Structures are given as structure tokens and as C-alpha cells.
Amino acid sequence: MKKIALLIIFFITEIVTFFRWSSCWLFKEDFYFTFQNLSTQLLISANEEKGLPLLLIRLLHNKITGFLWGILQTFLQYIDMRFLYEFLGIAGAVGVYLGFWYFFTKKPKNKIFWLGIMTLFICTLIEMILMPHIDFSKRIIPLFIVLSGFSLFGIWEFVTNGKSRIRFAGIVLLIILSLCALLLFPHSQYSMCLKV
Amino acid sequence: MKRILWILFCSFVFVGFALRTYKVTTIPPGLYIDEVSIGINAYDILTTGKDQFGVPHPLTFAAFGEYKMPVYIYLVSGAMYFFGKTEFAIRFPSILFGSMTIGVLFLLFTKALEIEIKKEKIVLSLSSLGAILLATSTWHLQFSRAGFEAVVALFFYTCALLFFVYFWKNKHIFYFVFADVFLFLTFYTYDGYRLIIPITILITLLFFGKEKKQRRGLITSSIVLFFILMPLVLFTFTQSGLMRLSQTSAFAQFHFANWLQQVLADIVTFLKNYLSFFSLTFLFRFGDQINRHQVSNFGLLYIWQLPYVVLGLLSLPKIKTKIILYGVVFLLIIAPMAASLTVPSPHSLRFLMAVLPFTFLTVLGCREVGQRLQKKKLLRTLVFLGTFLIAIVQVGYYLDYYYIHYPKTAQMDWGGSCKEVAQNLASVRNQYSAIYIDSNLMCVSEYFLFYTPQIAVRYVGFNQVTKLKNDQQILFIKPKNKEIPPGQLIDNIYLQNLNHDVFAQFWKL
């Protein structure tokens, strides 16, 4: 019962943290991939290669590798620790990584979690490439659901395994610190998003 | 085994040395401000036995409102004895010890993995992979090509770890004493280890102290070490010692009226800073975005390492050898500890120690892939071949960016063209009776003290220049901006960037 109560409080902390993002209308530049940026970057890089054979320049700076590179690098932004502790709070960020840990180390794997991984990938892909013309706060709700799902799973596994008392106390401390962070630094999400 | 071990050791050190010395005096493009300060102090120590401020053979060197650790400066003094007062001499200890770190890491991995894995061939392949990774690491290469004390400190710390492993295997106190000597040297080399070394001593005592036979020796050795660290420990708590911390403290940014709020804010700040060191974009994409610390578009680790680091982490609990398991976890936990107290955070230089566990995790990840695909030999070959090709392409990219693009884009971060300004000044010096430098020019007086110590320069604001008496032949050096002094423009110093921007202008007043 205590553990379920902890999980509920944990989830409320995440919701409260997430609520702050309703004051944003777009993530900052690093969260998006654009072909325009890619072209500009390739142009600058190729110009700096004066004197090298054209074939080598094409090999080093081309749109195909640039695209794959850019997408992969942008994707990291959405599962980044710094983004997660602003998005879900400190406890939430730790929870997401615990969730990933238990998901990959536990056997057999649940199909729901594979679905979660796929949804996470699709949500971020849509966000970073298409930037749909729907309200930002609604657009990031699926992202919140998947990430908080992972964090809830991670926290649950964490407190139900091993020395559960110490782990329980650790999570309580993290929740307290997350709430403190919210109160003391209420506008910190603006380092990652643009205000309405 | 022994012979091949030493052949491999020498090969890796040689490869590392070659990568670190190629064009090292021109790339990074110029000496950064701390390197110049180190150079001035080292030369003074070599020629007069005193530092820049006349203190004979000091234990800490005053520079730019802080105090530098002594080991690197004395090493540069030694290098200047052989190579003269040159950029190469300033960077030589970093290059040498950086290259040696690769060899020591190879031995460390070999000796540690020998306990875990019985097959010699696998041990050698894995530790060779670790050495190659460190030799070509964007993170380690970037710092070991310039005069950063952290590189030498990392070498000493890696040596200490190697001797701890030897001690674990042979149970001879002699190895523990050696490890302590290297911890002592680490402590006196780089600021960032002032917190890490005492914790390391404590943890090693707890870890190795379980065996009764060794306990007395361990405690004696640690007490002796603690006493020889004392001068610097005591200095740390003086006003001068705390100066660096107060300049970079992460806790000085936010002030709350209520003490409880302040304490909580400090804890939250520390925790956020600490977690930021494990940020994926910091590690694999952006780095800390300080141009001097990285080539833009490259993180601290290559992106191909990401799946292997993750696999390495996941396979960590399978390790049976305690010293490896606890060692890696300890290094991962402790590495960002001191750096989390400071800003900017994350900071790749203060986190350099973590290159050891991340390299090990990559190696462990490769081993895991090898084991999981043991029965699917074709797939295993394809996976490793694919990874190899991607890694080669990425290293190629990195070298292209480092040698071709970096000198053009990062010149301002490495002291701009202050060397050219000083050299030009030296060639025209005799034509003028006074030399003034605009205080907005991004060349602090240390650059002139290093390159042209015989020429006295005075720093002035632009408004003061217009008031100077014109009966003298005055040379005024300023950055290019809208302000035009009353005189004649005689020379421009250009940057190497695409636009060939003007860095400094020489005006005859």
C-alpha cells in the first residue's frame, strides 16, 4: 500500500512538473531537424575544405550522412538527462533511466514496453521533423505519457527489489527535491522552450 | 605474453604520441591564456628559480586571481630546458603524459581483465581495443594536444589504479605504496582532484582493508599520504585556496533570503549539475560547447560508442571480479563529483577522468556483443565489421574537422592572433617611443610578457588615446571597430577564418 501511495505521489509530481510546459509554444532549436540547416551547414563545411579533392569533400559532407547524423543526434535530445529533469522533474528523470534499465535487463520483455519504445520513437520523430500545426501542449502529451510510463515502471521495479526500505527513502528524497526544484526554480524550462 | 604485452604497449604509446604531436604548435591555433601563464612561470622558474611574482620555488603559483598547481609548471620548466621557450615546450608534458596514459590504460585493462577472463587472446584484444579507443578519443585527444594539467593528472591517477590492481592480485604492500605515491602526484597536479583523492584514499582503505594481514601496512601508507597532502589541504581552506572555488562556484548564482531555501536550492543545483554529466547530448552530441574543449559537432564520445556503452552498462552486473565491478562504478560516481560544485556544468575538462570508465564500458559492450552472438558467427562478423566501418568514418570526420576546420573556427578561443600581434610589434618596436594597447583587444598582457618580454606595453581605453600628447611616436594597437583614432593605419592582423576578419590594427598616432 505504501508503495502504491509513493507511486501516486511520484506521478503527481511529474504531472505538476509537466504542467509548467503549458506556458511554452515550441521547443528550442536543438530539438528540431531541418533540411535548411543541414544545407547551410554542409555549405559552410564544404567551403572550409579549400584545396581538398572534390570527391573527398563530397564523401565527407553529403546530405545522406548529414541527414542520418542529424536525426540521430536530435533524437538524443528527447531522452537527455537535462531535458528529462526539466520535463518530468529530477525524480522523473531518474525514473525514466531506471525504467530503461529494468526494461533492458529484465526477461522476458513485455510487449507493452516495446510498444512504448516505438511510440517514444514515433512521437519524437514527428516532433523533430514535422512540427505539426497543433497546439504544443497537446502535441507533447503523448511524449509525456510514454516517458512517465517508463519512469513509473522504473520506480516500481526499484522500490520492490533489493533493500526496499533504503530505496523507498531514496525515492521519497528525490520527490522532495523535485518539488523543491519546482518551487525554487519555477521558470527553468525556458532554457529549452520558447514562451507563449 | 610479456613480450607481446610490451610490444603492444610501445605501439599504442607511439600511435598516441604521433596523433598528439602532428602540427601541435599550430593546431590548436594559438596558446590559450592559462598556457601562456604556465609558460611564463615555467620559464621564470627555469631561469631564476622564482615564479612570476618573485616567490622562490613555490608550491602554488599565483595567476589571474587564482592559484595553479605546481606539477605541470615544473614539468614545463624541464621541457623548456630542452625545447626552449616555445609553444611546443608548454604542450610537451601534456602530449607525453597523454600518450603514456594510453599505454598505462592498456596495462590496466589487461591486468584487470586477466582476473575476469581466462583466455589470453581475448584479454589482449579487449585491452588493445581500449587503448585504440583512448588514442583516437575526441575527448582525450583534444585535451592532450594542449597544455592542460588535467591530462597529466589523469595519467597519475591511471597509474594509481594500475597499482591498486597489482596490489589486488599480488597482495604486496609495495604496490599499495606506489599507488599512494601516484595519488599524491595527482593531488598536486590538478585542482579537480582535491576532493576526489581523499575520497579515493578512504574507499581504497575500506575496500582493501578487509584483510587483516595487510591492514597495518595500508593504514600506515594512507596516514603518510594524508600527511604529505596536508600542506595543500590546509592551503585549500585559506582565502587564497578558496579563490578558484569562489570564482567558479555553482552555489553563488542564486541567493535566497531564507537559509532553508538556500540550502535546498544548493542541493538541487548540485544534483542537477551532477546528473547533467550523464546527459546524452553532452556525451555524444554537443560536449560542453566551449570551443576550446571540443571540435563543434562532436561530443566527448563517438556516437557509434553509444550502443556499446549501454550494453557495457547492462552487462556490468555480470562481472564477477569485485575490483573491476566496484572500480568502474566508483569511477563513474566520483568523476563528476567535484565538477558538480562548479559552473559551467557539465564541463568536459573537469570530467576528463570519466574517459576511463566510458572506454571500459565500450570495451565491455563489445565483449557482450561477441558473447551474445557467439553462435551466430556471420552476424557477429557483420556487426563488428559494420561498427568498424562506422568508427573509421567517424574518426576520419573528426580528424578532418580537427585539422581543417578547427583552426579556422576556433582561433579566437585560443588567444586569437596574439602571437602575430606580438611578433609584428617586435619587428616595428624600434620606430616608436611608446606602445599603447586598447584594453578591448583580446590579448592580455601575459601574451606580450611571454612572446616579447623586452617590450613594455601599456593598456588604455580608447578615450584616453585621443588625449595622448602627439609629440612622441606612438604605436596604438586596437581591435577593428567603429572607433577611428587620430592617426594613420599601418597594418592589419587577420584571422584565419573564411572571411579573413581583422583581429587587430596597428595605428601610428
Side-chain angles (χ1 to χ4, degrees):
Chain A
M1 193 62 196
K2 253 188 348 189
K3 285 168 190 167
I4 291 172
L6 179 80
L7 218 60
I8 292 168
I9 296 169
F10 176 81
F11 188 54
I12 292 169
T13 316
E14 284 190 334
I15 291 176
V16 174
T17 313
F18 173 68
F19 189 71
R20 285 190 311 173
W21 287 79
S22 58
S23 59
C24 301
W25 70 278
L26 201 66
F27 285 124
K28 282 198 174 165
E29 209 179 312
D30 300 337
F31 287 81
Y32 299 105
F33 174 85
T34 66
F35 283 101
Q36 203 181 344
N37 273 356
L38 176 66
S39 306
T40 318
Q41 275 193 356
L42 286 176
L43 205 68
I44 294 170
S45 310
N47 270 325
E48 285 172 350
E49 299 274 26
K50 257 181 196 171
L52 279 187
L54 194 64
L55 191 72
L56 190 64
I57 297 175
R58 279 190 182 280
L59 195 76
L60 289 168
H61 311 286
N62 60 73
K63 281 191 175 167
I64 300 165
T65 49
F67 171 72
L68 291 173
W69 211 248
I71 286 287
L72 190 64
Q73 288 187 332
T74 314
F75 179 69
L76 290 183
Q77 191 78 47
Y78 292 87
I79 47 168
D80 187 65
M81 188 56 99
R82 282 179 286 185
F83 166 65
L84 289 175
Y85 64 53
E86 294 302 345
F87 196 63
L88 300 172
I90 296 171
V94 174
V96 171
Y97 277 89
L98 283 174
F100 286 147
W101 171 267
Y102 286 114
F103 170 65
F104 287 112
T105 49
K106 252 194 142 180
K107 284 174 188 173
K109 288 175 180 46
N110 196 323
K111 277 179 190 168
I112 296 174
F113 288 107
W114 279 118
L115 197 72
I117 292 273
M118 284 303 292
T119 319
L120 177 67
F121 186 69
I122 291 165
C123 284
T124 47
L125 208 63
I126 290 171
E127 182 63 35
M128 69 195 188
I129 300 177
L130 297 175
M131 281 188 263
H133 298 284
I134 41 173
D135 188 37
F136 177 74
S137 55
K138 287 172 194 156
R139 214 164 69 216
I140 57 169
I141 284 175
L143 193 65
F144 170 75
I145 293 170
V146 181
L147 288 172
S148 62
F150 270 105
S151 69
L152 286 169
F153 167 69
I155 294 295
W156 179 255
E157 287 292 325
F158 185 70
V159 290
T160 49
N161 289 311
K163 290 176 184 172
S164 58
R165 269 193 191 174
I166 299 170
R167 291 179 177 208
F168 190 90
I171 299 300
V172 170
L173 194 70
L174 275 182
I175 292 173
I176 293 169
L177 288 174
S178 295
L179 292 171
C180 287
L182 264 183
L183 293 170
L184 297 166
F185 307 106
H187 305 298
S188 52
Q189 84 278 19
Y190 294 131
S191 61
M192 293 185 181
C193 78
L194 301 171
K195 280 185 197 180
V196 173
Chain B
M1 176 78 169
K2 263 197 172 175
R3 198 172 162 203
I4 192 151
L5 199 72
W6 289 109
I7 291 172
L8 284 171
F9 174 88
C10 294
S11 320
F12 294 133
V13 172
F14 177 76
V15 170
F17 193 75
L19 278 171
R20 278 152 184 79
T21 39
Y22 178 64
K23 286 187 175 179
V24 74
T25 50
T26 49
I27 308 170
L31 292 179
Y32 83 104
I33 206 161
D34 282 351
E35 285 182 298
V36 174
S37 167
I38 288 170
I40 293 167
N41 277 306
Y43 189 70
D44 287 349
I45 286 284
L46 182 69
T47 50
T48 65
K50 293 173 184 171
D51 76 353
Q52 196 183 349
F53 301 101
V55 182
H57 295 105
L59 201 59
T60 51
F61 288 81
F64 302 115
E66 53 150 331
Y67 285 83
K68 288 195 176 301
M69 295 289 107
V71 172
Y72 195 85
I73 293 175
Y74 285 109
L75 285 172
V76 173
S77 258
M80 278 182 173
Y81 179 79
F82 294 103
F83 305 114
K85 195 182 174 187
T86 57
E87 285 102 338
F88 183 74
I90 295 175
R91 290 177 173 170
F92 183 71
S94 189
I95 296 167
L96 182 70
F97 286 91
S99 314
M100 296 282 283
T101 311
I102 301 163
V104 177
L105 175 120
F106 169 69
L107 290 181
L108 173 69
F109 281 14
T110 310
K111 295 295 160 194
L113 289 170
E114 265 175 5
I115 314 170
E116 179 76 13
I117 306 167
K118 294 290 167 252
K119 287 182 183 170
E120 262 183 26
K121 263 188 185 177
I122 297 177
V123 171
L124 275 184
S125 327
L126 290 175
S127 37
S128 301
L129 176 67
I132 293 166
L133 279 175
L134 190 68
T136 55
S137 152
T138 61
W139 194 0
H140 192 255
L141 199 62
Q142 178 76 18
F143 290 125
S144 52
R145 282 180 60 94
F148 287 104
E149 299 133 310
V151 177
V152 179
L154 180 71
F155 168 77
F156 291 139
Y157 197 78
T158 317
C159 288
L161 294 178
L162 176 66
F163 281 106
F164 282 134
V165 173
Y166 273 119
F167 177 69
W168 173 262
K169 285 175 86 170
N170 303 320
K171 309 286 179 209
H172 199 297
I173 193 69
F174 170 78
Y175 293 115
F176 194 84
V177 174
F178 255 102
D180 275 357
V181 169
F182 280 109
L183 287 184
F184 158 74
L185 286 170
T186 315
F187 196 75
Y188 278 90
T189 306
Y190 183 56
D191 274 330
Y193 286 86
R194 282 196 226 180
L195 181 69
I196 291 170
I197 297 297
I199 298 175
T200 309
I201 296 169
L202 199 73
I203 295 291
T204 47
L205 259 182
L206 289 173
F207 184 74
F208 295 114
K210 284 173 189 166
E211 287 181 40
K212 280 185 183 174
K213 279 184 187 174
Q214 309 290 338
R215 203 173 287 165
R216 190 180 290 174
L218 295 183
I219 293 172
T220 315
S221 168
S222 300
I223 289 172
V224 171
L225 175 64
F226 202 74
F227 271 106
I228 52 177
L229 295 183
M230 259 306 154
L232 198 59
V233 173
L234 293 175
F235 172 77
T236 303
F237 295 105
T238 62
Q239 205 174 359
S240 313
L242 288 169
M243 210 175 268
R244 179 68 180 155
L245 186 65
S246 62
Q247 283 169 359
T248 56
S249 169
F251 311 119
Q253 302 176 84
F254 312 102
H255 294 288
F256 293 89
N258 185 324
W259 69 268
L260 184 65
Q261 280 183 335
Q262 186 66 51
V263 170
L264 287 171
D266 288 349
I267 295 172
V268 168
T269 307
F270 175 80
L271 199 59
K272 279 190 173 184
N273 284 351
Y274 186 86
L275 291 175
S276 71
F277 282 91
F278 298 101
S279 139
L280 293 178
T281 50
F282 165 64
L283 291 171
F284 296 97
R285 188 182 175 197
F286 291 130
D288 60 12
Q289 292 186 302
I290 297 173
N291 236 356
R292 208 168 47 236
H293 294 177
Q294 67 185 91
V295 173
S296 55
N297 287 328
F298 286 88
L300 310 184
L301 306 166
Y302 292 109
I303 210 148
W304 71 263
Q305 284 178 265
L306 177 61
Y308 290 96
V309 168
V310 172
L311 269 175
L313 264 176
L314 295 174
S315 66
L316 208 53
K318 289 182 195 168
I319 288 183
K320 289 166 197 153
T321 317
K322 272 187 186 176
I323 194 165
I324 302 179
L325 178 63
Y326 293 153
V328 174
V329 174
F330 169 72
L331 289 176
L332 276 175
I333 292 173
I334 195 93
M337 202 73 97
S340 305
L341 302 170
T342 60
V343 278
S345 194
H347 192 281
S348 51
L349 180 65
R350 295 177 195 145
F351 191 48
L352 184 62
M353 184 186 156
V355 76
L356 303 177
F358 279 115
T359 307
F360 188 78
L361 287 177
T362 313
V363 169
L364 210 60
C366 289
R367 185 200 171 204
E368 185 66 14
V369 172
Q371 277 184 336
R372 286 192 186 191
L373 302 177
Q374 207 167 17
K375 287 173 188 166
K376 299 168 186 171
K377 283 191 177 166
L378 182 66
L379 185 62
R380 188 174 66 177
T381 313
L382 282 175
V383 169
F384 281 136
L385 195 68
T387 308
F388 178 71
L389 285 176
I390 294 171
I392 288 284
V393 169
Q394 282 205 309
V395 173
Y397 259 112
Y398 175 70
L399 295 178
D400 172 62
Y401 269 89
Y402 189 81
Y403 289 111
I404 309 285
H405 303 267
Y406 192 59
K408 292 168 188 157
T409 55
Q411 206 179 357
M412 287 303 285
D413 300 275
W414 289 93
S417 293
C418 295
K419 184 183 176 182
E420 280 95 315
V421 171
Q423 283 173 337
N424 255 31
L425 175 64
S427 65
V428 296
R429 163 74 189 99
N430 295 334
Q431 299 163 29
Y432 300 94
S433 52
I435 292 149
Y436 289 94
I437 291 171
D438 191 326
S439 43
N440 287 326
L441 185 74
M442 292 177 79
C443 291
V444 290
S445 58
E446 268 73 4
Y447 280 101
F448 299 101
L449 211 58
F450 182 75
Y451 287 114
T452 52
Q454 70 283 6
I455 303 174
V457 293
R458 263 176 278 178
Y459 280 77
V460 289
F462 183 80
N463 293 337
Q464 287 167 278
V465 166
T466 49
K467 291 171 199 160
L468 288 172
K469 189 122 175 71
N470 257 358
D471 56 353
Q472 295 174 295
Q473 288 283 328
I474 294 173
L475 178 68
F476 180 52
I477 306 171
K478 67 182 276 296
K480 189 187 177 189
N481 51 25
K482 284 176 188 169
E483 291 161 335
I484 310 280
Q488 183 194 350
L489 175 68
I490 52 167
D491 205 356
N492 281 320
I493 303 290
Y494 296 94
L495 290 173
Q496 291 175 33
N497 62 7
L498 266 184
N499 300 331
H500 286 283
D501 293 322
V502 175
F503 175 72
Q505 294 182 321
F506 281 53
W507 287 78
K508 182 181 176 181
L509 303 186

